[in-house]
Amino acid sequence: MAALVDLGMRRETIARRVRAGVWLRPFPGVIIMQSGAPTREQLILAALLYAGDGAVLTGAEAVRRQGLRRLPEIPELHVLVEEDRHRRCLPTLVVERTARPPATVERDGTVVATLDRAVLDTARRLTDRDQIRALLADAVQQRRSTPDRLRDELDAGNQRGSALVREVLGEIADGIRSASEGWGRDLHARSGLPPMLWNPRLYFPGGRFLASPDGYLPCVGMAWENDSLEFHPVEEDDTARRRADMIAAGVIVAHHRPRRLRTEPERVIEELRAHYRLAASRPTPDLVVVPA
């Protein structure tokens, strides 16, 4: 609005056009000179103008612009401003003051926080463990970050909302790579079975690669596959072939659809125990196991 006033337009005229719906005022002091619904790009520019010089886009929009897709729909925008700047949050805009201005990159003409910072700024505002799992695992699976880098960024930044994120980072560091594998980890913790390796790589003694199951009990040679095409986007034939190769190598393979981990947890646990007893009754396959 100040720019329009500097150009000679009266404040009363601006206010009248906003009241009449001829122009839009998405945020205090920011005018969009049109009556139709603003585009996402217009709202982002308006948010940055409202936040002031040096404001940086972060959160889900910044994550999305850097290529990650496994995150919930978050309509509000999130911007970072310097610690001494006072801008209030609004229903569609989160304004966060920070003593650690982020490193930035430009995406689609907008300056955004680098991926590690944007991912954690998003995760800290989530309360659903599965959504946090999916987001962090996506960054690691795409080799866009590592658990250590994310943990270092989390330690250095705002600690509000960090407790659950820190727990999930521990899971990711242990090899969990999707929400469904997180469900599996939770069930395994209740099963009483020996420690399981998550996403290890199995090799024959000569060095030839065999498979990388979702979970593996090296003490008895038992693999656990979640069979999720959503989180492991490979052809169904490849999944069946991997399972057949492991069975041929002497590995006992338990497999479940992710849906059953949520709807039939007790039955899945009993099936895992049954597979474990079967594996324990047979010779352990001679394989080299490399943890994730």
Side-chain angles (χ1 to χ4, degrees), residues 63-111:
V63 171
R64 193 174 293 110
R65 284 170 181 253
Q66 294 179 76
L68 298 192
R69 291 292 179 266
R70 201 177 294 168
L71 71 165
E73 189 63 34
I74 301 175
E76 65 266 19
L77 298 172
H78 186 175
V79 298
L80 300 172
V81 299
E82 294 178 356
E83 191 174 27
D84 60 356
R85 178 166 296 160
H86 295 275
R87 292 289 187 275
R88 60 189 177 92
C89 293
L90 300 164
T92 59
L93 177 62
V94 175
V95 181
E96 181 178 346
R97 292 187 295 164
T98 178
R100 289 182 63 249
T104 61
V105 294
E106 184 175 320
R107 291 291 183 271
D108 302 326
T110 300
V111 175

Side-chain angles (χ1 to χ4, degrees), residues 20-147:
V22 178
W23 290 349
L24 305 173
R25 187 174 65 179
F27 306 113
V30 182
I31 303 297
I32 299 178
M33 300 170 68
Q34 68 182 46
S35 59
T39 66
R40 187 71 169 173
E41 295 302 318
Q42 287 176 318
L43 286 175
I44 290 169
L45 177 57
L48 293 172
L49 286 172
Y50 166 69
D53 293 342
V56 175
L57 182 68
T58 189
E61 186 65 39
V63 171
R64 193 174 293 110
R65 284 170 181 253
Q66 294 179 76
L68 298 192
R69 291 292 179 266
R70 201 177 294 168
L71 71 165
E73 189 63 34
I74 301 175
E76 65 266 19
L77 298 172
H78 186 175
V79 298
L80 300 172
V81 299
E82 294 178 356
E83 191 174 27
D84 60 356
R85 178 166 296 160
H86 295 275
R87 292 289 187 275
R88 60 189 177 92
C89 293
L90 300 164
T92 59
L93 177 62
V94 175
V95 181
E96 181 178 346
R97 292 187 295 164
T98 178
R100 289 182 63 249
T104 61
V105 294
E106 184 175 320
R107 291 291 183 271
D108 302 326
T110 300
V111 175
V112 303
T114 50
L115 187 67
D116 288 352
R117 178 67 174 268
V119 163
L120 291 172
D121 283 342
T122 305
R124 286 190 300 103
R125 301 187 67 84
L126 298 174
T127 57
D128 185 285
R129 182 183 290 268
D130 287 344
Q131 291 179 345
I132 297 172
R133 280 169 170 163
L135 173 59
L136 300 185
D138 196 20
V140 173
Q141 272 189 312
Q142 292 197 30
R143 300 181 185 275
R144 303 291 304 282
S145 190
T146 66

Side-chain angles (χ1 to χ4, degrees), residues 150-169:
L150 290 170
R151 187 181 294 108
D152 289 345
E153 177 65 36
L154 187 64
D155 288 343
N158 190 332
Q159 297 303 297
R160 179 180 298 176
S162 66
L164 183 55
V165 178
R166 198 175 300 281
E167 290 180 16
V168 174
L169 271 177

Side-chain angles (χ1 to χ4, degrees), residues 203-206 216 249-250 283-289:
Y203 295 87
F204 292 102
Y216 190 69
T284 302
D286 184 16
L287 296 172
V288 177
V289 182

Side-chain angles (χ1 to χ4, degrees), residues 21 71 94 100 112 136 163 174 186 198 228 230 239 262 276:
L71 71 165
V94 175
R100 289 182 63 249
V112 303
L136 300 185
D174 286 344
D186 294 342
W198 302 101
S228 173
E230 176 185 359
T239 301
R262 304 303 298 272
Y276 173 77

Side-chain angles (χ1 to χ4, degrees), residues 5 7 88 93 178 183 193 255 266 282 289 292:
V5 172
L7 291 172
R88 60 189 177 92
L93 177 62
S178 70
W183 305 337
L193 295 177
H255 51 91
E266 299 306 323
R282 301 174 56 171
V289 182

